[in-house]
Amino acid sequence: MEQEKQTVKSPEGVKELINELWRRHLNGEPRPANNIYWVEFPPPTEEELAACKLNEGVNNCKQDGED
């Protein structure tokens, strides 16, 4: 059975999702049936790419859409 994934697009949404999953865990509640989440991150800024290249090496720093 294929499950529909839910998309989380904001930092607040990620925070709410984690809090809800943790609350369920602490209360012994079962996981939701649709326990698949996709988190969309914004593309890295030029500053983040530059820092990545300094810290990780050029081969590990990819922009959105690169494999």
Side-chain angles (χ1 to χ4, degrees):
M1 175 177 20
E2 189 172 323
Q3 297 178 346
E4 183 178 327
K5 67 182 174 193
Q6 299 178 40
T7 302
V8 180
K9 296 183 178 184
S10 70
E12 295 80 22
V14 172
K15 182 179 178 181
E16 290 173 13
L17 170 64
I18 297 301
N19 284 336
E20 176 64 16
L21 293 173
W22 186 245
R23 184 193 62 78
R24 287 177 159 277
H25 170 74
L26 291 177
N27 292 330
E29 298 175 24
R31 294 182 308 176
N34 56 349
N35 202 29
I36 300 173
Y37 302 94
W38 181 267
V39 178
E40 291 186 5
F41 293 102
T45 64
E46 292 299 321
E47 293 83 14
E48 291 170 332
L49 287 172
C52 179
K53 290 175 183 174
L54 286 174
N55 294 327
E56 300 293 331
V58 176
N59 294 333
N60 293 330
C61 302
K62 299 178 182 175
Q63 293 189 10
D64 193 30
E66 293 181 355
D67 288 328

